[in-house]
């Protein structure tokens, strides 16, 4: 949801190269499907999701990791590896939207909603929805497989592949566990800040920032000191990134976030923002929050009441303070990190953009 990543130096050109790799890969897959007389909507749905926006954040950070480890230029093998991370992210989005029952993503219908409409003819509404969900699960699974295929046709040397593969495996496991923690905590508002922060670390900080940086650095043959410094930087900035995202999910607008503004509140997401509000609320405030958070039919009036309480309890300001502390921690790491000056400059700018107020 974070706006402004496009301002990073060279981001537009890198995004175009990553997008070109993804487009070429999907064009080939669409041609193969046509020859086999397989449904065209499979590759069309994925292509349209990838084309609907997104900042290509993980690919950009993969390139930043390469530069931090002293990599020169942006070889095609690096771009293809970065593109495989974006393909994996698309898989995560497709399944995440199913779990969240989201109607839109990046301003367009989610894959499961689009498939439900596509297959609505001759079916009840309920049956069409079920087909949409089932089809989206399968497209997501295929997207996961294709992300692995993209990595293995990237042209990496055996040494590079051996260095990257364990990181890919760890990244996938971490985000799945993070998502599991998120799903099982949703709908049960609790004043458990520690658990909310654990979800943040595994669902976002490691998956979105740390592992892409590690993967790019591994391609450049990063020594342990570089990888340790990247982790010391990535975890606080990644946590701040998600805390900002949580604020946008409640107080932002769909034009900024690309998602309906009620989704997180209707799901009763166990965020640091909510946990702090419940921790600080009085009995009356807590009762209202528990009655509204996670309500499937929550309307704008109810959401506004939640927003009022998140502000009145001091939770919103507390999260802003946490973002500021984490941002400062990440910037301190960069002062002594063993990265080239150009990489430090880029990561400083990313820190500013990812943690900035946007609403």
């Amino acid at each position: 949801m974070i706006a402004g990543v496009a301002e990073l130096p060279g981001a537009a050109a890198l995004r175009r190269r990553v997008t070109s790799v993804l487009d070429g890969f999907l064009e080939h897959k669409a041609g193969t499907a046509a020859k086999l007389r397989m449904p065209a909507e499979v590759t069309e749905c994925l292509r349209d999701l990838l084309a609907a926006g997104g900042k290509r954040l993980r690919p950009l950070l993969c390139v930043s990791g390469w530069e931090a480890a002293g990599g020169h230029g942006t070889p095609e093998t690096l771009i293809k590896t970065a593109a495989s991370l974006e393909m994996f992210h698309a898989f995560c989005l497709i399944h995440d939207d199913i779990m969240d029952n989201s109607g839109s993503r990046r301003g367009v219908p989610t894959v499961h909603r689009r498939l439900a409409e596509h297959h609505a003819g001759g079916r009840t509404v309920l049956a069409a929805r079920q087909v949409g969900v089932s089809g989206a699960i399968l497209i997501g699974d295929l997207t996961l497989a294709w992300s692995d295929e993209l990595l293995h046709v990237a042209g990496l040397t055996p040494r590079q592949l051996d260095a990257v593969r364990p990181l890919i495996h760890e990244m996938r496991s971490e985000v799945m566990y993070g998502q599991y923690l998120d799903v099982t905590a949703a709908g049960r508002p609790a004043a458990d800040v520690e658990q909310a922060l654990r979800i943040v670390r595994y669902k976002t900080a490691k998956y979105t920032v740390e592992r892409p940086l590690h993967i790019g650095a591994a391609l450049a043959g990063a020594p342990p000191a570089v990888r340790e410094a990247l982790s010391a930087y990535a975890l606080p900035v990644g946590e701040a990134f998600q805390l900002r995202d949580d604020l946008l999910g409640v107080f932002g607008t769909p034009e900024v976030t690309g998602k309906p503004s009620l989704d997180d509140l209707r799901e009763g997401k166990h965020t640091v923002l909510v946990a702090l509000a419940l921790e600080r609320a009085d009995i009356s405030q807590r009762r209202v929050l528990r009655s509204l958070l996670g309500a499937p039919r929550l309307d704008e009036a109810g959401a506004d009441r939640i927003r009022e309480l998140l502000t009145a309890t001091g939770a919103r300001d507390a999260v802003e303070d946490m973002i500021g502390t984490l941002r400062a921690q990440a910037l301190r790491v960069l002062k002594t990190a063993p990265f080239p000056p150009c990489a430090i400059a880029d990561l400083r700018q990313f820190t500013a953009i990812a943690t900035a107020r946007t609403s």
Side-chain angles (χ1 to χ4, degrees), residues 63-210:
V63 173
S64 293
W66 162 269
E67 293 173 344
H72 298 290
T74 49
E76 194 66 13
T77 53
L78 172 64
I79 298 299
K80 288 180 177 178
T81 301
S84 76
L85 297 181
E86 189 68 17
M87 186 70 81
F88 177 74
H89 183 52
F91 147 73
C92 291
L93 295 181
I94 293 168
H95 280 198
D96 186 57
D97 286 338
I98 295 169
M99 287 181 265
D100 292 349
N101 194 29
S102 296
S104 65
R105 164 75 66 177
R106 298 170 176 170
V108 299
T110 51
V111 173
H112 65 281
R113 291 291 176 87
R114 176 173 170 175
L115 290 175
E117 183 177 346
H118 181 78
H119 293 285
R123 290 185 170 92
T124 65
V125 172
L126 184 61
R129 287 176 180 170
Q130 183 59 49
V131 171
V133 167
S134 299
I137 290 172
L138 293 169
I139 291 177
D141 291 345
L142 192 55
T143 305
L144 172 60
W146 284 348
S147 72
D148 200 54
E149 184 177 337
L150 261 174
L151 176 67
H152 283 84
V153 299
L156 303 181
T157 66
R159 185 174 181 176
Q160 285 177 317
L161 193 57
D162 285 344
V164 164
R165 197 156 37 200
L167 298 171
I168 296 286
H169 295 333
E170 289 172 6
M171 177 191 72
R172 290 174 177 174
S173 295
E174 286 162 355
V175 72
M176 300 296 183
Y177 274 118
Q179 182 73 352
Y180 185 84
L181 291 172
D182 188 36
V183 167
T184 54
R188 297 186 299 176
D192 190 343
V193 177
E194 183 178 346
Q195 178 69 348
L197 283 169
R198 191 161 177 246
I199 293 170
V200 165
R201 173 157 290 202
Y202 282 92
K203 189 178 178 184
T204 300
K206 296 180 79 64
Y207 161 61
T208 299
V209 185
E210 184 189 35

Side-chain angles (χ1 to χ4, degrees), residues 268-286:
K269 288 279 187 180
H270 183 53
T271 63
V272 173
L273 178 65
V274 167
L276 284 171
L278 289 169
E279 183 180 76
R280 295 161 177 244
D282 60 31
I283 294 175
S284 176
Q285 291 172 325
R286 193 175 296 117

Side-chain angles (χ1 to χ4, degrees), residues 249-304:
V250 175
F251 295 100
T253 61
E255 290 74 23
V256 173
T257 66
K259 292 184 66 176
S261 60
L262 297 181
D263 277 8
D264 286 357
L265 298 177
R266 282 177 175 164
E267 293 158 32
K269 288 279 187 180
H270 183 53
T271 63
V272 173
L273 178 65
V274 167
L276 284 171
L278 289 169
E279 183 180 76
R280 295 161 177 244
D282 60 31
I283 294 175
S284 176
Q285 291 172 325
R286 193 175 296 117
R287 185 182 302 116
V288 173
L289 284 169
R290 291 189 184 281
S291 69
L292 293 176
L293 288 165
R297 298 183 181 276
L298 181 73
D299 57 16
E300 280 293 345
D304 284 342

